[in-house]
Amino acid sequence: MSAPFSFKLLKTDGTARRGEIVTPHGKVQTPAFMPVGTQGTVKGLMPEAVAAAGTEIVLGNTYHLMLRPGAERVAALGGLHQFMNWPGPILTDSGGFQVMSLSALRRLEEHGVTFRSHLDGAIVELSPERAIEIQALLGADISMQLDECLKLPSSREEIARAMQLSLRWAERSKRAFESVRGGRALFGIVQGGDDTGLRAESAKALVDIGFDGYAIGGLAVGEPQEMMLNIVAETTPVLPAERPRYLMGVGTPDDLMEAVKRGIDMFDCVLPARNGRHGMAYTRHGSINLANARHAEDARPLDAESAHPAARTYSRAYLHHLTKANEMLGQVLLSTINIAYYQALMGEMREAIAGGRFEAFCAATKEGWTRGDLPART
Amino acid sequence: MSAPFSFKLLKTDGTARRGEIVTPHGKVQTPAFMPVGTQGTVKGLMPEAVAAAGTEIVLGNTYHLMLRPGAERVAALGGLHQFMNWPGPILTDSGGFQVMSLSALRRLEEHGVTFRSHLDGAIVELSPERAIEIQALLGADISMQLDECLKLPSSREEIARAMQLSLRWAERSKRAFESVRGGRALFGIVQGGDDTGLRAESAKALVDIGFDGYAIGGLAVGEPQEMMLNIVAETTPVLPAERPRYLMGVGTPDDLMEAVKRGIDMFDCVLPARNGRHGMAYTRHGSINLANARHAEDARPLDAESAHPAARTYSRAYLHHLTKANEMLGQVLLSTINIAYYQALMGEMREAIAGGRFEAFCAATKEGWTRGDLPART
């Protein structure tokens, strides 16, 4: 459990990639999906259930954990792995995204960002150096540089300014990370909004600085899927083949497949868990809204052929009942089922790439989604 | 899985009893504690987790299930066992208690009770016969007669009237139950408020009618513990030794121990799960409020010697964090830990009775609770 970070590209199929990441807390097969453990927990799920759903790596949120319970406290308690009882690899974000989206009275300066905590209004500072320090205290296997995330659309000038600032922060992050030990990794983050020229400039500059992996940030912020995929397709060729590529905050099952097709290796997203908590299930035949009355008497499971017992065992009628009754178990079961579906999809993509049949797999999978959910026979 | 209901008294120690119930869905060792699966789920917990906490039998609420999803619907879906994926024994209450506590515009008549659903305001009727029918549709291993529950204090006249009505409903329940098949059991419910004379009269009349087991109802409604235990002590001698005795809606760990001492075999209560959802843990050293700031940096588990992994694995600091952050996993973990503590206590009581050392066990257990939780060494 103490191998330093490394990435091995095992196979390519077109621009889709099958690889393996090694971290001090274990291996991750790529393309990989990381469920989000916002506040030190994948909401409602025992860590054993997260693992049993096929998860090899989870994401922790620096912004949330620095405010509560505090990075120093987590460190004193043995680090985030021990704190949340997750023995596998953990990637932490830098906090930049949540500073923009959750905090009030934000002041952005060259040095860093000052903001009011959304919890208690306390004034908090976050700099590239402090973001690295926090992630080291948490014990992240993979840390992210602090960057500035913009909402889209923004002006080209504003996008260029934020991208340049993120690059200067990338350099400072790399320097600060030199004192972090234990074979951990630091990823840089490509910015540049919807401008492919700025994206390429950002990517090249980051590669010059040199990181263990490269993320594409600032997407999945409301732009059309086509724009997002175009940015991904234009950016991945600029990145070195021998480093993992992480598309932050993405996405739907279709987003994942299309981004893998364009050379992405890693993803994180709250969608499967959040939509599960709101009664939506992801399946081979598209998404299903369990709150709909048509499920009230449907004895069929969500997917009799699923590898996950929860998708095979509980009737749609029961999941409908739990959803209507706002029962916690409904949220737990549907979060589990959705994460298991995402992980099964990633596993199938990995197999398809390894077998050189990724295009055919994508077509068949999309056909399943398009077919849609069939009503119960009456 | 198709043995008819039976009860075997294995050992007595003073008036404490060690026994075994057989049901069509498996055996239950007594004294037994039944977690409450109000709406077809023990809140937040997978059935596997309920079983792993040491549970052999759960309780389902007729009132809730008849309103949503409806008894006929549960029956069409294969019954409550299949619906909630709980293969073990299930006891259902008759709905009477919740009609009194949850519904509005209640009208009580000789025939039964008419009320407005707390969900949608629909007018619903519940009679002794319908309560039996509903429980048969749910597929309960043990059904309860419909009774009238009063709040205490009430006048002696009112208590006597409700007790007499409950007796007439008991007779009608027994007749209605004659058509229910499958080796299932029906329990009568002793009423009589805080009047030991009325309680004895109720118990004798129920024994004359003849039931598979006898419950003591209408307690744990706000009266002092001493009054409750006095009623129990005066009632159990009137009940036949060869039938199980069930104290409804009770209680704290101390309540359970004191009631077992007075000859009770079965309990149900929402306390361990409900208090767990509100950040309270039950342990060998009393109850612990995880919301308290003194746990924020406490790396110790709740109980390093617990037989349940959750009580041994997660730090108090983590449980405190989850509680403060209002995270679902905190509710899940503390519900699990509390039910596991209750079940461990029942198991220890069973062993102590079997070994003829129940008094000594009670004294030692109370000493542990009294010792209280020790702060972390600093």
Side-chain angles (χ1 to χ4, degrees), chain B residues 16-59:
Chain B
R17 297 146 51 98
R18 167 80 181 88
E20 182 181 271
I21 293 171
V22 176
T23 81
H25 287 86
K27 294 179 179 178
V28 179
Q29 304 305 315
T30 65
F33 177 77
M34 305 183 280
V36 179
T38 314
Q39 305 195 91
T41 155
V42 177
K43 289 189 186 301
L45 305 195
M46 304 273 284
E48 296 87 339
V50 177
T55 302
E56 293 183 320
I57 178 171
V58 299
L59 180 142

Side-chain angles (χ1 to χ4, degrees), chain B residues 34 56 115 158 171 245-246 279 298 322 331 335 354 373:
Chain B
M34 305 183 280
E56 293 183 320
F115 61 93
E158 183 68 0
E171 287 201 56
R245 303 153 179 181
Y246 162 29
D298 195 338
L322 295 177
Q331 303 187 28
S335 297
D373 185 44

Side-chain angles (χ1 to χ4, degrees), chain A residues 79-229:
Chain A
L80 186 56
H81 295 82
Q82 184 172 330
F83 186 61
M84 67 186 286
N85 191 29
W86 174 261
I90 297 177
L91 179 147
T92 47
D93 63 12
S94 68
F97 183 80
Q98 276 82 21
V99 167
M100 314 299 158
S101 59
L102 291 182
S103 67
L105 284 182
R106 181 167 59 79
R107 196 172 71 229
L108 188 80
E109 295 169 310
E110 184 67 27
H111 176 71
V113 59
T114 309
F115 61 94
R116 275 197 192 279
S117 160
H118 75 289
L119 292 179
D120 60 3
I123 299 288
V124 184
E125 289 185 21
L126 190 61
S127 64
E129 292 78 13
R130 177 62 181 156
I132 294 298
E133 182 181 27
I134 289 170
Q135 295 176 84
L137 286 165
L138 295 175
D141 296 281
I142 302 174
S143 295
M144 303 301 299
Q145 69 149 106
L146 187 66
D147 60 344
E148 182 187 354
C149 297
L150 290 178
K151 286 190 177 136
L152 292 180
S154 291
S155 71
R156 190 175 190 283
E157 290 68 31
E158 184 66 1
I159 292 172
R161 184 203 54 73
M163 182 272 279
Q164 294 292 350
L165 178 67
S166 295
L167 280 180
R168 295 191 296 278
W169 285 3
E171 289 201 57
R172 285 167 55 190
S173 300
K174 171 114 191 253
R175 276 202 303 279
F177 194 75
E178 281 162 10
S179 63
V180 176
R181 300 182 195 167
R184 299 166 186 174
L186 177 64
F187 283 21
I189 304 178
V190 176
Q191 288 290 356
D194 53 356
D195 188 301
T196 52
L198 292 176
R199 287 278 175 182
E201 186 184 335
S202 172
K204 282 175 194 151
L206 287 172
V207 174
D208 286 344
I209 300 170
F211 287 93
D212 301 302
Y214 297 89
I216 301 179
L219 292 178
V221 291
E223 77 283 0
Q225 186 198 37
E226 190 188 344
M227 178 188 290
M228 177 184 81
L229 294 176

Side-chain angles (χ1 to χ4, degrees), chain B residues 81-320:
Chain B
H81 295 84
Q82 185 173 331
F83 187 60
M84 68 186 284
N85 192 28
W86 174 261
I90 296 178
L91 179 147
T92 47
D93 64 12
S94 66
F97 183 79
Q98 277 82 22
V99 167
M100 315 298 158
S101 59
L102 292 180
S103 68
L105 284 182
R106 179 168 61 79
R107 195 175 68 231
L108 189 80
E109 296 168 309
E110 184 66 28
H111 176 71
V113 58
T114 309
F115 61 93
R116 275 199 193 278
S117 161
H118 74 289
L119 294 177
D120 61 4
I123 299 288
V124 184
E125 289 184 21
L126 191 61
S127 64
E129 292 78 12
R130 177 62 181 156
I132 294 298
E133 182 181 27
I134 290 171
Q135 295 177 84
L137 286 164
L138 295 174
D141 297 280
I142 302 174
S143 295
M144 304 300 300
Q145 69 149 106
L146 186 66
D147 59 345
E148 182 189 354
C149 297
L150 289 178
K151 286 191 178 138
L152 292 181
S154 290
S155 71
R156 190 175 190 282
E157 289 68 32
E158 183 68 0
I159 292 172
R161 184 203 55 72
M163 183 272 280
Q164 294 292 351
L165 177 67
S166 295
L167 279 180
R168 292 192 296 277
W169 285 3
E171 287 201 56
R172 285 166 55 188
S173 300
K174 173 119 190 247
R175 275 202 303 278
F177 195 74
E178 280 163 11
S179 64
V180 176
R181 298 182 196 169
R184 300 167 187 173
L186 175 65
F187 283 20
I189 304 178
V190 177
Q191 289 289 358
D194 54 358
D195 188 301
T196 51
L198 292 176
R199 287 278 174 183
E201 185 184 334
S202 171
K204 281 176 196 153
L206 287 171
V207 173
D208 285 345
I209 299 170
F211 287 92
D212 301 302
Y214 297 89
I216 301 178
L219 292 177
V221 290
E223 76 284 359
Q225 186 198 39
E226 191 189 342
M227 178 188 291
M228 176 183 82
L229 294 177
N230 184 46
I231 297 289
V232 170
E234 298 281 331
T235 305
T236 50
V238 187
L239 298 172
E242 69 277 12
R243 294 281 185 268
R245 303 153 179 181
Y246 162 29
L247 181 57
M248 303 182 81
V250 173
T252 66
D254 187 61
D255 289 338
L256 302 190
M257 209 163 64
E258 292 295 339
V260 166
K261 194 184 289 181
R262 289 162 178 79
I264 296 293
D265 307 303
M266 302 166 69
F267 303 89
D268 78 284
C269 195
V270 295
L271 266 192
R274 178 177 293 165
N275 283 341
R277 292 200 302 281
H278 292 97
M280 205 187 97
Y282 288 101
T283 79
R284 288 181 299 126
H285 297 124
S287 60
I288 298 177
N289 177 7
L290 269 313
N292 193 303
R294 76 184 166 93
H295 305 295
E297 301 186 329
D298 195 338
R300 296 176 302 163
L302 274 171
D303 184 355
E305 293 168 40
S306 170
H308 198 280
R312 291 194 311 266
T313 303
Y314 296 91
S315 67
R316 294 166 183 224
Y318 184 62
L319 296 169
H320 169 78

